[in-house]
Coordinates of all heavy atoms in Angstrom, one line a residue:
M71 N 0.8 -1.2 0.0 CA 0.0 0.0 0.0 C 0.9 1.2 0.0 O 1.8 1.3 0.7 CB -0.9 -0.1 1.3 CG -1.7 1.2 1.4 SD -3.1 0.8 2.5 CE -2.4 1.1 4.2
S72 N 0.5 2.2 -0.9 CA 1.3 3.4 -0.9 C 0.4 4.7 -0.9 O -0.7 4.6 -1.5 CB 2.3 3.4 -2.0 OG 1.6 3.5 -3.2
F73 N 0.8 5.7 -0.3 CA 0.1 7.0 -0.3 C 0.8 8.0 -1.2 O 2.0 8.0 -1.3 CB 0.0 7.5 1.1 CG -0.7 6.6 2.1 CD1 0.0 5.9 3.0 CD2 -2.1 6.6 2.0 CE1 -0.7 5.1 3.9 CE2 -2.8 5.8 2.9 CZ -2.1 5.0 3.8
T74 N -0.1 8.9 -1.8 CA 0.5 10.0 -2.4 C 0.9 11.0 -1.3 O 0.5 10.9 -0.2 CB -0.5 10.7 -3.3 OG1 -1.6 11.2 -2.5 CG2 -1.1 9.7 -4.3
S75 N 1.8 12.0 -1.7 CA 2.2 12.9 -0.7 C 1.0 13.8 -0.2 O 1.0 14.2 0.9 CB 3.3 13.8 -1.2 OG 2.9 14.6 -2.2
E76 N 0.1 14.0 -1.1 CA -1.2 14.8 -0.6 C -1.9 14.0 0.5 O -2.3 14.6 1.4 CB -2.1 15.0 -1.8 CG -1.7 16.1 -2.8 CD -0.6 15.6 -3.7 OE1 -0.4 14.4 -3.9 OE2 0.1 16.5 -4.3
Q77 N -2.0 12.7 0.3 CA -2.7 11.9 1.3 C -1.9 11.9 2.6 O -2.5 11.9 3.7 CB -2.9 10.4 0.7 CG -3.9 10.3 -0.3 CD -3.9 8.9 -0.9 OE1 -2.9 8.3 -1.2 NE2 -5.1 8.3 -1.0
I78 N -0.6 11.8 2.5 CA 0.2 11.8 3.7 C 0.1 13.2 4.4 O -0.1 13.2 5.6 CB 1.7 11.5 3.4 CG1 1.8 10.1 2.9 CG2 2.6 11.8 4.5 CD1 3.2 9.7 2.3
D79 N 0.1 14.2 3.7 CA -0.1 15.6 4.3 C -1.5 15.6 5.0 O -1.6 16.1 6.1 CB -0.1 16.7 3.2 CG 1.4 17.0 2.8 OD1 2.3 16.6 3.6 OD2 1.5 17.7 1.8
G80 N -2.5 15.0 4.4 CA -3.8 15.0 5.0 C -3.8 14.2 6.3 O -4.4 14.7 7.3
L81 N -3.1 13.1 6.2 CA -3.1 12.2 7.4 C -2.3 12.9 8.5 O -2.7 12.9 9.7 CB -2.4 10.9 7.1 CG -3.2 9.9 6.2 CD1 -2.3 8.7 5.8 CD2 -4.4 9.3 7.1
M82 N -1.2 13.5 8.2 CA -0.4 14.2 9.2 C -1.2 15.3 9.8 O -1.1 15.5 11.1 CB 0.9 14.8 8.5 CG 1.7 13.7 7.9 SD 3.0 13.1 8.9 CE 4.3 14.3 8.4
S83 N -1.9 16.1 9.0 CA -2.7 17.2 9.7 C -3.8 16.7 10.5 O -4.2 17.3 11.5 CB -3.2 18.2 8.6 OG -4.1 17.5 7.8
L84 N -4.3 15.5 10.1 CA -5.4 14.9 10.9 C -4.9 14.5 12.3 O -5.6 14.7 13.3 CB -5.8 13.5 10.3 CG -7.0 13.6 9.4 CD1 -7.4 12.2 8.9 CD2 -8.3 14.1 10.1
I85 N -3.6 14.0 12.4 CA -3.1 13.7 13.7 C -2.3 14.8 14.3 O -1.7 14.6 15.3 CB -2.3 12.3 13.7 CG1 -1.2 12.4 12.6 CG2 -3.2 11.2 13.3 CD1 -0.3 11.2 12.6
G86 N -2.4 15.9 13.8 CA -1.9 17.1 14.4 C -0.4 17.3 14.2 O 0.3 18.0 15.0
I87 N 0.2 16.7 13.2 CA 1.6 16.9 12.9 C 1.8 17.8 11.7 O 1.2 17.6 10.7 CB 2.3 15.6 12.7 CG1 2.3 14.7 13.9 CG2 3.7 15.8 12.2 CD1 2.8 13.3 13.7
T88 N 2.5 18.8 11.9 CA 2.9 19.7 10.8 C 4.3 19.5 10.4 O 5.2 19.6 11.2 CB 2.6 21.2 11.1 OG1 3.4 21.5 12.3 CG2 1.2 21.5 11.3
R89 N 4.6 19.1 9.2 CA 5.9 18.7 8.8 C 6.9 19.8 8.9 O 8.1 19.6 9.1 CB 5.8 18.2 7.3 CG 5.4 16.8 7.3 CD 6.0 16.1 6.1 NE 5.0 16.0 5.0 CZ 5.3 15.4 3.9 NH1 6.4 14.8 3.7 NH2 4.4 15.3 2.9
E90 N 6.4 21.1 8.8 CA 7.4 22.2 8.8 C 8.0 22.3 10.1 O 9.2 22.7 10.2 CB 6.7 23.5 8.4 CG 6.2 23.5 7.0 CD 4.9 22.7 6.8 OE1 4.2 22.5 7.8 OE2 4.7 22.3 5.7
S91 N 7.3 22.2 11.2 CA 7.8 22.5 12.5 C 8.2 21.3 13.4 O 8.8 21.5 14.4 CB 6.8 23.4 13.3 OG 5.6 22.7 13.4
E92 N 7.8 20.2 13.0 CA 8.1 19.0 13.8 C 9.3 18.3 13.3 O 9.4 18.0 12.1 CB 6.9 18.0 13.8 CG 5.6 18.7 14.3 CD 5.5 18.8 15.8 OE1 6.3 18.0 16.5 OE2 4.7 19.5 16.3
L93 N 10.1 17.8 14.2 CA 11.2 16.9 13.7 C 10.7 15.5 13.7 O 9.8 15.1 14.5 CB 12.4 17.0 14.8 CG 13.1 18.2 14.9 CD1 14.2 18.0 16.0 CD2 13.7 18.6 13.6
N94 N 11.3 14.7 12.9 CA 11.1 13.2 13.1 C 12.2 12.7 14.0 O 13.1 13.4 14.4 CB 11.0 12.5 11.7 CG 12.3 12.6 10.9 OD1 13.4 12.5 11.5 ND2 12.2 12.6 9.7
C95 N 12.1 11.4 14.4 CA 13.0 10.9 15.3 C 14.5 10.9 14.8 O 15.4 11.3 15.6 CB 12.7 9.5 15.7 SG 11.1 9.4 16.6
N96 N 14.7 10.7 13.5 CA 16.0 10.7 13.0 C 16.7 12.1 13.1 O 17.8 12.3 13.6 CB 16.0 10.3 11.5 CG 16.2 8.8 11.3 OD1 16.5 8.1 12.2 ND2 15.7 8.4 10.1
E97 N 15.9 13.1 12.8 CA 16.3 14.4 12.9 C 16.6 14.9 14.3 O 17.6 15.5 14.7 CB 15.3 15.4 12.2 CG 15.3 15.3 10.7 CD 14.1 16.0 10.1 OE1 13.0 16.1 10.8 OE2 14.2 16.4 9.0
C98 N 15.7 14.4 15.2 CA 15.9 14.7 16.6 C 17.2 14.1 17.1 O 18.0 14.8 17.7 CB 14.7 14.2 17.4 SG 14.9 14.4 19.2
L99 N 17.4 12.8 16.8 CA 18.6 12.1 17.3 C 19.9 12.7 16.7 O 20.9 12.7 17.3 CB 18.5 10.6 17.1 CG 17.4 9.9 17.9 CD1 17.3 8.5 17.5 CD2 17.6 10.1 19.4
H100 N 19.7 13.3 15.5 CA 20.9 13.9 14.9 C 21.3 15.1 15.6 O 22.5 15.4 15.7 CB 20.5 14.3 13.4 CG 21.6 14.7 12.6 ND1 22.5 13.8 12.1 CD2 21.9 15.9 12.1 CE1 23.4 14.5 11.4 NE2 23.1 15.8 11.4
H101 N 20.4 15.8 16.3 CA 20.8 17.1 17.0 C 20.8 16.9 18.5 O 21.1 17.9 19.2 CB 19.7 18.1 16.6 CG 19.8 18.5 15.2 ND1 20.8 19.2 14.6 CD2 18.9 18.3 14.2 CE1 20.6 19.4 13.3 NE2 19.4 18.9 13.0
V102 N 20.4 15.8 19.0 CA 20.2 15.6 20.4 C 21.5 15.8 21.2 O 21.4 16.4 22.3 CB 19.5 14.3 20.8 CG1 20.4 13.1 20.7 CG2 18.8 14.4 22.1
A103 N 22.6 15.4 20.7 CA 23.9 15.6 21.4 C 24.2 17.1 21.6 O 24.6 17.5 22.6 CB 25.0 14.9 20.7
E104 N 23.9 17.8 20.5 CA 24.2 19.3 20.5 C 23.3 19.9 21.6 O 23.7 20.8 22.4 CB 23.8 19.8 19.1 CG 24.5 21.0 18.7 CD 24.1 21.4 17.3 OE1 23.8 20.5 16.5 OE2 24.0 22.6 17.0
F105 N 22.0 19.5 21.6 CA 21.1 20.0 22.6 C 21.5 19.6 24.0 O 21.5 20.5 24.9 CB 19.7 19.4 22.2 CG 18.6 19.8 23.2 CD1 18.1 21.1 23.2 CD2 18.1 19.0 24.1 CE1 17.1 21.5 24.1 CE2 17.1 19.3 25.0 CZ 16.7 20.6 25.0
A106 N 21.9 18.4 24.2 CA 22.3 18.0 25.5 C 23.5 18.8 26.0 O 23.6 19.2 27.2 CB 22.7 16.5 25.5
E107 N 24.4 19.1 25.1 CA 25.6 19.9 25.5 C 25.2 21.3 25.9 O 25.7 21.8 26.9 CB 26.5 19.9 24.3 CG 27.9 20.3 24.7 CD 28.8 20.6 23.5 OE1 28.6 20.0 22.4 OE2 29.6 21.5 23.6
C108 N 24.2 21.9 25.2 CA 23.7 23.2 25.6 C 23.1 23.2 26.9 O 23.3 24.0 27.8 CB 22.7 23.7 24.5 SG 23.5 24.2 23.0
E109 N 22.3 22.1 27.2 CA 21.6 22.0 28.4 C 22.6 21.8 29.6 O 22.5 22.5 30.6 CB 20.7 20.8 28.4 CG 19.5 21.0 27.7 CD 18.4 21.7 28.5 OE1 17.8 21.0 29.3 OE2 18.1 22.8 28.2
L110 N 23.7 21.0 29.3 CA 24.6 20.7 30.3 C 25.5 22.0 30.7 O 25.8 22.2 31.8 CB 25.6 19.6 29.9 CG 25.3 18.2 30.3 CD1 26.3 17.3 29.7 CD2 25.2 18.1 31.8
T111 N 25.9 22.7 29.7 CA 26.7 23.8 29.9 C 26.0 25.1 30.1 O 26.6 26.1 30.3 CB 27.7 24.0 28.6 OG1 26.9 24.2 27.5 CG2 28.6 22.8 28.5
G112 N 24.6 25.0 30.1 CA 23.8 26.2 30.4 C 23.9 27.2 29.3 O 23.6 28.4 29.5
K113 N 24.3 26.8 28.1 CA 24.4 27.7 27.0 C 22.9 28.0 26.5 O 22.0 27.2 26.7 CB 25.1 27.0 25.8 CG 26.6 27.3 25.8 CD 27.2 27.0 24.4 CE 27.6 25.5 24.3 NZ 28.3 25.2 23.1
H114 N 22.8 29.1 25.8 CA 21.6 29.5 25.2 C 21.2 28.4 24.2 O 22.0 28.0 23.4 CB 21.7 30.8 24.5 CG 20.5 31.2 23.8 ND1 19.3 31.5 24.4 CD2 20.2 31.3 22.5 CE1 18.4 31.8 23.4 NE2 18.9 31.7 22.3
I115 N 19.9 27.9 24.2 CA 19.4 27.0 23.2 C 19.1 27.7 21.9 O 18.2 28.5 21.9 CB 18.2 26.2 23.8 CG1 18.4 25.7 25.2 CG2 17.8 25.1 22.8 CD1 19.4 24.5 25.2
P116 N 19.8 27.4 20.8 CA 19.5 28.1 19.6 C 18.1 27.7 19.1 O 17.6 26.6 19.5 CB 20.5 27.5 18.6 CG 21.6 26.8 19.4 CD 20.9 26.5 20.8
E117 N 17.5 28.5 18.3 CA 16.1 28.3 17.9 C 16.0 26.9 17.2 O 15.0 26.2 17.4 CB 15.7 29.4 17.0 CG 14.2 29.6 16.9 CD 13.8 30.8 16.1 OE1 14.4 31.9 16.4 OE2 13.0 30.7 15.3
A118 N 17.0 26.6 16.5 CA 17.0 25.3 15.7 C 16.9 24.1 16.7 O 16.3 23.1 16.3 CB 18.3 25.2 14.9
L119 N 17.4 24.3 17.9 CA 17.4 23.2 18.8 C 16.1 23.2 19.7 O 15.8 22.2 20.4 CB 18.6 23.2 19.7 CG 19.9 22.9 19.0 CD1 21.1 22.9 20.1 CD2 19.9 21.6 18.2
E120 N 15.3 24.2 19.6 CA 14.0 24.3 20.3 C 13.1 23.1 19.8 O 12.3 22.6 20.5 CB 13.4 25.6 20.2 CG 14.0 26.7 21.0 CD 13.9 26.5 22.5 OE1 13.0 25.7 22.9 OE2 14.6 27.2 23.3
A121 N 13.3 22.8 18.5 CA 12.5 21.8 17.9 C 12.9 20.5 18.5 O 12.0 19.5 18.7 CB 12.7 21.8 16.4
V122 N 14.1 20.3 18.9 CA 14.6 19.1 19.6 C 13.9 19.0 20.9 O 13.3 18.0 21.3 CB 16.1 19.0 19.7 CG1 16.6 17.8 20.6 CG2 16.8 19.0 18.3
R123 N 14.0 20.1 21.7 CA 13.3 20.1 23.0 C 11.9 19.7 22.9 O 11.3 19.0 23.7 CB 13.4 21.5 23.6 CG 13.0 21.6 25.0 CD 12.4 22.9 25.4 NE 13.3 24.1 25.4 CZ 14.1 24.4 26.3 NH1 14.2 23.7 27.4 NH2 14.9 25.4 26.2
H124 N 11.2 20.3 21.9 CA 9.8 20.1 21.7 C 9.5 18.5 21.4 O 8.6 17.9 21.9 CB 9.3 20.9 20.5 CG 7.8 20.8 20.3 ND1 6.8 21.1 21.2 CD2 7.1 20.3 19.2 CE1 5.7 20.9 20.7 NE2 5.8 20.3 19.5
H125 N 10.4 18.0 20.5 CA 10.2 16.6 20.2 C 10.4 15.7 21.4 O 9.7 14.7 21.6 CB 11.3 16.2 19.1 CG 11.1 14.8 18.6 ND1 10.3 14.5 17.6 CD2 11.6 13.7 19.0 CE1 10.3 13.1 17.4 NE2 11.1 12.6 18.2
L126 N 11.3 16.1 22.3 CA 11.6 15.3 23.5 C 10.4 15.3 24.4 O 10.2 14.3 25.2 CB 12.9 15.8 24.2 CG 14.2 15.6 23.5 CD1 15.3 16.3 24.2 CD2 14.4 14.1 23.2
T127 N 9.6 16.3 24.4 CA 8.4 16.4 25.2 C 7.3 15.5 24.7 O 6.4 15.1 25.4 CB 7.9 17.8 25.4 OG1 7.4 18.3 24.1 CG2 8.9 18.8 25.9
L128 N 7.4 15.1 23.4 CA 6.4 14.4 22.7 C 6.7 12.9 22.6 O 5.9 12.0 22.5 CB 6.1 14.9 21.3 CG 5.6 16.4 21.3 CD1 5.5 16.8 19.8 CD2 4.2 16.5 21.9
C129 N 8.1 12.6 22.5 CA 8.5 11.3 22.0 C 9.3 10.6 23.1 O 10.4 11.0 23.5 CB 9.3 11.5 20.8 SG 10.0 9.9 20.1
L130 N 8.7 9.6 23.7 CA 9.3 8.9 24.8 C 10.6 8.2 24.4 O 11.6 8.2 25.2 CB 8.4 7.8 25.4 CG 8.8 7.2 26.7 CD1 8.9 8.3 27.8 CD2 7.7 6.2 27.1
E131 N 10.7 7.6 23.2 CA 11.9 7.0 22.8 C 13.1 7.9 22.7 O 14.2 7.6 23.1 CB 11.6 6.4 21.4 CG 11.1 5.0 21.4 CD 10.8 4.5 20.0 OE1 11.8 4.3 19.2 OE2 9.7 4.1 19.7
C132 N 12.9 9.0 22.1 CA 14.0 10.0 21.9 C 14.3 10.6 23.3 O 15.5 10.9 23.6 CB 13.6 11.1 21.0 SG 13.6 10.5 19.3
K133 N 13.3 10.7 24.2 CA 13.6 11.2 25.5 C 14.5 10.3 26.3 O 15.4 10.7 27.0 CB 12.3 11.4 26.3 CG 12.4 11.9 27.7 CD 12.9 13.3 27.8 CE 12.6 13.9 29.2 NZ 13.3 13.2 30.3
E134 N 14.3 9.0 26.1 CA 15.1 8.0 26.7 C 16.6 8.0 26.2 O 17.5 7.9 27.0 CB 14.6 6.6 26.5 CG 13.4 6.3 27.5 CD 12.8 4.9 27.2 OE1 13.2 4.2 26.4 OE2 11.7 4.7 27.9
E135 N 16.7 8.2 24.9 CA 18.0 8.4 24.3 C 18.7 9.6 25.0 O 19.9 9.6 25.3 CB 17.9 8.6 22.8 CG 17.5 7.4 22.0 CD 18.6 6.4 21.9 OE1 19.8 6.8 22.0 OE2 18.3 5.2 21.7
Y136 N 18.0 10.7 25.1 CA 18.5 11.9 25.6 C 18.9 11.7 27.1 O 19.9 12.2 27.5 CB 17.4 13.0 25.5 CG 17.7 14.3 26.2 CD1 18.6 15.2 25.8 CD2 17.0 14.6 27.4 CE1 18.9 16.3 26.5 CE2 17.2 15.7 28.1 CZ 18.2 16.6 27.7 OH 18.5 17.7 28.3
D137 N 18.0 11.1 27.8 CA 18.4 10.8 29.2 C 19.7 10.0 29.4 O 20.5 10.3 30.2 CB 17.2 10.1 29.9 CG 16.0 11.0 30.2 OD1 16.3 12.3 30.2 OD2 15.0 10.5 30.5
E138 N 19.8 9.0 28.5 CA 21.0 8.2 28.5 C 22.2 9.0 28.2 O 23.3 8.9 28.9 CB 20.9 7.0 27.5 CG 20.0 5.9 28.0 CD 20.5 5.3 29.3 OE1 21.7 5.0 29.4 OE2 19.6 5.2 30.2
L139 N 22.1 9.8 27.2 CA 23.2 10.7 26.7 C 23.5 11.7 27.9 O 24.7 11.9 28.1 CB 22.7 11.5 25.5 CG 23.7 12.3 24.8 CD1 24.9 11.5 24.2 CD2 23.1 13.1 23.7
M140 N 22.6 12.2 28.5 CA 22.9 13.2 29.6 C 23.6 12.5 30.7 O 24.6 13.1 31.3 CB 21.6 13.8 30.1 CG 20.9 14.9 29.3 SD 22.0 16.3 29.0 CE 21.4 17.3 30.4
K141 N 23.2 11.3 31.0 CA 23.9 10.5 32.1 C 25.4 10.3 31.7 O 26.3 10.5 32.5 CB 23.3 9.1 32.2 CG 22.5 8.9 33.4 CD 22.1 7.4 33.6 CE 20.6 7.2 33.3 NZ 20.3 5.8 33.3
V142 N 25.7 9.9 30.5 CA 27.0 9.7 30.0 C 27.8 11.0 30.1 O 29.0 11.1 30.6 CB 27.0 9.1 28.6 CG1 28.5 9.1 28.0 CG2 26.4 7.7 28.5
L143 N 27.2 12.1 29.5 CA 27.9 13.3 29.5 C 28.2 13.9 30.9 O 29.3 14.4 31.2 CB 27.1 14.4 28.7 CG 27.0 14.2 27.2 CD1 26.0 15.2 26.7 CD2 28.3 14.4 26.6
R144 N 27.3 13.7 31.8 CA 27.5 14.1 33.2 C 28.6 13.4 33.9 O 29.4 13.9 34.6 CB 26.2 13.9 34.0 CG 25.2 15.0 33.8 CD 24.2 15.2 34.9 NE 23.3 16.3 34.7 CZ 22.0 16.1 34.3 NH1 21.6 14.8 34.1 NH2 21.2 17.1 34.0
S145 N 28.6 12.0 33.6 CA 29.7 11.2 34.2 C 31.1 11.6 33.6 O 32.0 11.3 34.3 CB 29.4 9.7 34.0 OG 29.5 9.4 32.6
M146 N 31.1 12.1 32.4 CA 32.4 12.5 31.8 C 32.9 13.8 32.3 O 34.1 14.0 32.2 CB 32.2 12.5 30.3 CG 32.1 11.2 29.7 SD 32.1 11.1 27.8 CE 31.7 12.8 27.4
G147 N 32.0 14.7 32.9 CA 32.4 16.0 33.2 C 33.0 16.7 32.0 O 32.9 16.1 30.9
P148 N 33.7 17.8 32.1 CA 34.1 18.5 33.3 C 33.0 19.6 33.7 O 33.1 20.3 34.6 CB 35.3 19.3 32.9 CG 35.2 19.5 31.5 CD 34.4 18.3 30.9
A149 N 31.9 19.6 32.9 CA 30.9 20.6 33.1 C 30.3 20.4 34.5 O 29.8 19.4 34.8 CB 29.8 20.5 32.0
A150 N 30.4 21.5 35.3 CA 29.9 21.4 36.7 C 28.5 21.7 36.8 O 28.1 22.7 36.1 CB 30.8 22.2 37.6
Ligands
ZN337 ZN1 11.4 10.7 18.5

């Protein structure tokens, strides 16, 4: 079974996902290390990474990846 991109857009909007502003899991995981580093070091979160933060509030799988990553980064230091 295959959908046209119009059908996919329709389905996505039905379930409340807008492709422009939402990351998918791959994109999230691609940026999650950068995001974690900003969080750890207290750096300003760039606008591009706000989408990662948003995704982590929605997606348990990526949140778990993020939590694991934070654990590792914290154990490595030197960020106090
Ligand atoms: Zn995800």
